[in-house]
Amino acid sequence: MKLFLLTALTMCAFAANSILNRLAIDSGASDPTGFAIVRVLAGAVVLATLVLARGGHLPLRSRRRIVGAGSLTLYMIGFSIAYLTLDAGLGALILFGTVQISMFSIGALTGATPTARQVAGAGVALAGLAYVLWPSDSVQVDLNGAALMVAAGIGWALYSIAGRSETNPLEGTAANFIVALPLTALAMLATGGVWQMNGAGYLLAVLSGGVTSGLGYALWYRVLPQLAPSVAAVVQLSVPVIAILGGVAFLGEVAETRLIIGTVLVLGGIALAVLRRQKG
């Protein structure tokens, strides 16, 4: 039960990131470049402060930073730039579909082959997610945006896999954010991004980086060693649905029948993949 609650809390933190990003960008309070950089900076400051206050150390030179910080940077860059040309729903579908496929593949290559039940559950959950997010009008996909979102999905999958071997979740996450900060800033600015933020934009980016990203990612590293790669992949399919429900609750968006049906499919698929069949 404790693992379930921690995992659910982590998924809610991930969904909150989406809501905060939508609030900042859609309202014009921030541009994607500024939001991404401040988000990583806030996460680095909050996590480093917590580590040092607890008497810990920051393993910046560990070999784990190659994959941890590198994949985090790839995710941040791909995610931020892709949403300039992709519809939010289709972008989320590409992102989490890529995460699921990547984590299933990496798990299979490392000996953690998903069971038929997990594959079936993942298929049901992905179908529900597609039903909720797929545009109702004619689909026009920007290939560059789609490629960037695929890269972001691969980056997040690698980041999640790397977390399974992190000995100290808080210290490892703090080090990842610190190393990823200059890489993310240079890459975002080099792509021609502009920094335009007001006070609300800075506040939303700090909340996203310091709380729902920094602490949320540290919690993710805390629960990952207890989850099979396939299970970790499937449960993340709940994030877009939670974000949409959060939009209904906090942003005044409308809960359509399509959302309700898709939510049932996603949660049912996750339950099928995660819950073990009881032997009677």
Side-chain angles (χ1 to χ4, degrees), residues 100 104 113-125 230 234 272-273:
Q100 181 173 276
F104 267 55
T113 304
T115 65
R117 187 181 179 88
Q118 290 170 339
V119 172
V124 172
S230 54
V234 175
L272 178 62

Side-chain angles (χ1 to χ4, degrees), residues 11 13 21 27 37 96 120 141 157 161 164 172 211 225 249 259 266-267 270 274:
M11 297 304 104
N21 184 81
S27 67
I37 295 174
F96 286 96
V141 182
I161 293 295
R164 296 177 59 80
V211 181
L259 171 60
V266 170
L267 297 180
I270 292 173
V274 173

Side-chain angles (χ1 to χ4, degrees), residues 143-166:
L143 295 180
N144 290 330
L148 285 167
M149 193 59 83
V150 168
I154 294 173
W156 184 253
L158 292 173
Y159 185 79
S160 297
I161 293 295
R164 296 177 59 80
S165 62
E166 194 68 63

